[in-house]
């Protein structure tokens, strides 16, 4: 991320995303499969991407941090002791968690599927997978803001009707399974 003058995060740095697209992958204009340039009805070459695409791709490259300096290598570059030898590490809390648009009008995604991309009632379809994560409304394996851990801010994830097919399958007569894979479609 680029920092504003007040040392606050302002936006994802677009330079790397722009260089990857312009210099190392798709270039400036769209190409046909045979390598010829795609043009519009007026013969003007079609741009391969817009500045909005660059901004979106830049957010995909957030969350990286340098690894700690090694004790067995002395390296000082412009007064910095940052480790520039080992690969950078990903800090999950620094990542931009939202979907990134692709160049075809869809989304690359990162964590969240768009509702329009999910089959209607997919949670009831054959192959839906459920994992028992515990009884807390904010189990350890979810990534929620810390204020959800306060009981006053607790979030109810789901409350199933005890007569529903899904409830009966997950409850399994009180003999809970850690993993449940739906064997067939269920009715709502």
């Amino acid at each position: 991320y680029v920092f504003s003058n007040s040392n606050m995060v302002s936006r994802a740095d677009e330079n790397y995303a722009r260089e990857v697209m312009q210099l190392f992958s798709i270039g400036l204009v769209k190409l046909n499969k045979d390598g010829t340039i795609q043009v519009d009805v007026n013969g003007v070459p079609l741009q391969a991407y817009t500045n909005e695409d660059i901004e979106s791709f830049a957010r995909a490259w957030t969350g990286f941090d340098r690894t700690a300096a090694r004790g067995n290598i002395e390296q000082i570059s412009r007064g910095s002791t940052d480790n520039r030898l080992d690969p950078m590490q990903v800090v999950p809390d620094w990542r931009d968690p939202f979907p990134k648009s692709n160049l075809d009008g869809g989304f690359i995604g990162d964590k969240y599927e768009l509702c329009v991309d999910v089959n209607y009632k997919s949670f009831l379809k054959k192959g839906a997978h459920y994992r028992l994560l515990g009884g807390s409304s904010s189990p350890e394996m979810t990534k929620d803001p810390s204020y959800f851990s306060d009981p006053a801010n607790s979030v109810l994830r789901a409350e199933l009707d005890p007569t529903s097919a899904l409830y009966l399958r997950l409850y399994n007569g009180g003999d809970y399974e850690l993993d449940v894979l739906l064997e067939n479609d269920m009715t709502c």
Side-chain angles (χ1 to χ4, degrees):
Y1 274 89
V2 174
F3 292 89
S4 64
N5 292 338
S6 62
N7 217 21
M8 299 292 292
V9 172
S10 63
R11 66 188 178 350
D13 187 352
E14 301 167 11
N15 291 332
Y16 186 67
R18 185 184 318 273
E19 288 179 13
V20 166
M21 291 197 302
Q22 181 177 339
L23 303 175
F24 302 108
S25 60
I26 60 176
L28 293 172
V29 295
K30 289 185 178 183
L31 300 176
N32 294 307
K33 289 187 182 210
D34 65 0
T36 59
I37 296 174
Q38 290 184 15
V39 294
D40 65 14
V41 293
N42 298 319
V44 177
L46 297 175
Q47 289 185 343
Y49 53 86
T50 65
N51 202 57
E52 288 79 20
D53 296 320
I54 293 168
E55 291 172 3
S56 180
F57 282 28
R59 291 184 297 123
W61 292 104
T62 59
F64 289 93
D65 191 21
R66 296 194 188 280
T67 55
R70 288 196 211 175
N72 63 341
I73 295 178
E74 183 178 322
Q75 179 179 345
I76 297 176
S77 173
R78 291 186 237 160
S80 171
T81 58
D82 286 341
N83 181 338
R84 296 178 183 265
L85 178 66
D86 296 316
M88 296 182 82
Q89 61 186 355
V90 175
V91 180
D93 289 339
W94 294 1
R95 299 269 303 139
D96 182 308
F98 300 104
K100 284 68 174 170
S101 58
N102 65 23
L103 298 175
D104 299 319
F107 286 86
I108 297 169
D110 202 0
K111 288 187 178 179
Y112 304 104
E113 283 188 273
L114 294 179
C115 292
V116 297
D117 295 332
V118 177
N119 292 332
Y120 181 66
K121 295 186 182 175
S122 61
F123 62 96
L124 294 173
K125 302 292 184 194
K126 178 180 180 178
H129 184 217
Y130 293 86
R131 290 178 49 209
L132 180 61
L133 298 177
S136 169
S137 66
S138 185
E140 176 183 304
M141 294 184 74
T142 62
K143 195 84 167 120
D144 283 334
S146 58
Y147 59 81
F148 280 172
S149 61
D150 179 357
N153 297 322
S154 185
V155 175
L156 182 61
R157 302 256 184 252
E159 189 172 306
L160 299 174
D161 180 336
T163 62
S164 74
L166 182 58
Y167 178 92
L168 294 172
R169 176 63 184 96
L170 296 176
Y171 179 64
N172 196 28
D175 185 21
Y176 296 99
E177 298 173 44
L178 294 179
D179 282 294
V180 173
L181 189 66
L182 297 184
E183 298 86 11
N184 34 32
D185 293 351
M186 300 196 155
T187 56
C188 187

